[in-house]
Amino acid sequence: VICDDGKPRNAASSRIHGLIPAADLTPAAFREATRRSLRSYGEITCHAERVSRIEKQGSRFTYETHTGATGSARSVLLATGLVDTLPPLAGIEQFYGHTVHLCPYCDGYGYSDKHIVTYGKGEDGINLSLMLLLWSPHVTYCTDGEDLDATRRTHFESKGIRLEQRRITALTGNGRTLQAIALEGGAVLSCSALFFATSCRPASDLWQTLGCAADKRGSVACDPLTCETSVEGVYVAGDASRDVLQVASALGEGTRAAVAINKRLLRKDGLMP
Ligand SMILES: Cc1cc2nc3c(=O)[nH]c(=O)nc-3n(C[C@H](O)[C@H](O)[C@H](O)COP(=O)(O)OP(=O)(O)OC[C@H]3O[C@@H](n4cnc5c(N)ncnc54)[C@H](O)[C@@H]3O)c2cc1C
């Protein structure tokens, strides 16, 4: 049984990058192709709705969805993902996922040698700016009013990163194409893309209500080989658990978890030592 209320993290993105078979597919087209393929496996039931509760009762788990549908299962795989907080920049929704991005690994390649603006507070913004030099030497870091100490300033200058301390008042462009950042005082900074550092949170607290232990970063801890959490029979895959937040890793972790779940059930049924 698959329960998915259909709000994937990359919903705003124009294309999936870094996953060869899905190159040039939108996230929606990728999910539709996956669902089509799943329909050929007759034993799979899909509920397009949110799971509100999962409880362990003896050796089984019972679940309930928001509309009150209920059921039970021998194992649970949590692939509930993350939700990102967009920075409060006027106009950001128009460009997000097209020319405004958060992940250099997903979208940096498209801006080789173009002018990239970075945005983010503290260490996260600093690290993001340095990282983007891998893709382009033309990086401007917008600190949004924050000051940088002299050491950092010198380091940035030596790397060729320009600093912009005036606050951003708006993002402007044509359609989904970002063209400029408007700054307080009326100045305008032309650019091809903006990358931002932001915070994110788990899209679901089911792992907490199930009693799964957290790792030191505060997300759900799991065995790196089997993806099993501290609660026997509960597994986790994708952005909900790990460090490399990409579709390919989510698929790999899902496969790992599926094999481990299958082996656990075979052992429970006495079919495997
Ligand atoms: C703007 C953007 C662009 C990106 N671009 C790329 C890219 O080009 N290439 C790449 O590899 N990665 C990209 N990523 C990262 C990628 O989106 C994630 O790594 C990937 O979606 C993780 O898959 P997942 O299955 O763990 O989570 P998700 O894809 O987020 O799916 C989780 C699903 O679980 C559902 N859900 C959550 N809680 C519940 C609940 N209680 N009940 C039922 N359903 C629930 C959600 O609604 C959602 O549909 C991008 C991310 C962002 C934000």
Side-chain angles (χ1 to χ4, degrees):
V1 177
I2 297 174
C3 296
D4 182 2
D5 70 344
K7 294 176 190 144
R9 191 175 170 217
N10 56 352
S13 172
S14 59
R15 291 280 177 271
I16 295 180
H17 300 130
L19 183 69
I20 291 162
D24 285 337
L25 281 185
T26 63
F30 177 66
R31 285 165 73 86
E32 183 42 40
T34 308
R35 282 201 202 100
R36 242 195 335 273
S37 157
L38 283 176
R39 283 196 280 272
S40 64
Y41 297 87
E43 291 163 1
I44 294 178
T45 309
C46 293
H47 294 301
E49 56 178 319
R50 193 160 182 83
V51 175
S52 45
R53 185 183 57 82
I54 306 179
E55 273 169 26
K56 190 164 193 178
Q57 291 181 340
S59 60
R60 292 188 75 87
F61 297 89
T62 57
Y63 67 87
E64 185 176 353
T65 69
H66 266 194
T67 60
T70 55
S72 81
R74 295 175 73 190
S75 317
V76 173
L77 173 57
L78 299 170
T80 42
L82 294 171
V83 176
D84 300 289
T85 310
L86 285 191
L89 299 175
I92 191 167
E93 282 88 1
Q94 182 183 338
F95 308 109
Y96 180 50
H98 298 263
T99 42
V100 170
H101 309 282
L102 50 72
C103 171
Y105 295 118
C106 299
D107 295 296
Y109 184 76
Y111 303 100
S112 302
D113 294 327
K114 300 209 169 124
H115 183 204
I116 299 173
V117 171
T118 54
Y119 173 91
K121 304 269 179 189
E123 289 300 312
D124 290 344
I126 289 167
N127 291 338
L128 177 70
S129 310
L130 291 166
M131 206 171 158
L132 276 157
L133 286 176
L134 283 172
W135 284 274
S136 174
H138 314 295
V139 175
T140 301
Y141 173 34
C142 276
T143 67
D144 206 22
E146 267 187 9
D147 209 2
L148 280 199
D149 62 43
T151 318
R152 290 256 198 244
R153 202 175 270 279
T154 313
H155 185 52
F156 267 44
E157 274 164 19
S158 73
K159 299 285 175 204
I161 297 178
R162 278 166 280 174
L163 275 182
E164 179 51 71
Q165 283 182 246
R166 285 170 288 187
R167 288 185 196 283
I168 294 176
T169 54
L171 309 187
T172 60
N174 186 9
R176 300 289 205 169
T177 306
L178 178 71
Q179 290 170 326
I181 312 282
L183 301 166
E184 67 183 356
V188 169
L189 195 60
S190 308
C191 63
S192 299
L194 178 129
F195 280 75
F196 62 88
T198 187
S199 60
C200 57
R201 60 182 165 78
S204 161
D205 65 357
L206 287 171
W207 65 279
Q208 283 160 315
T209 54
L210 273 160
C212 302
D215 64 18
K216 52 180 185 292
R217 293 170 308 143
S219 56
V220 55
C222 68
D223 181 300
L225 287 181
T226 64
C227 303
E228 191 168 20
T229 67
S230 60
V231 176
E232 196 201 337
V234 178
Y235 296 75
V236 64
D239 284 11
S241 64
R242 306 288 180 83
D243 243 356
V244 180
L245 305 178
Q246 296 244 298
V247 175
S249 342
L251 292 172
E253 288 159 22
T255 308
R256 238 175 227 288
V259 170
I261 289 169
N262 181 254
K263 286 186 175 167
R264 175 175 171 271
L265 294 180
L266 289 172
R267 276 196 301 276
K268 291 261 173 212
D269 293 346
L271 297 169
M272 213 172 123

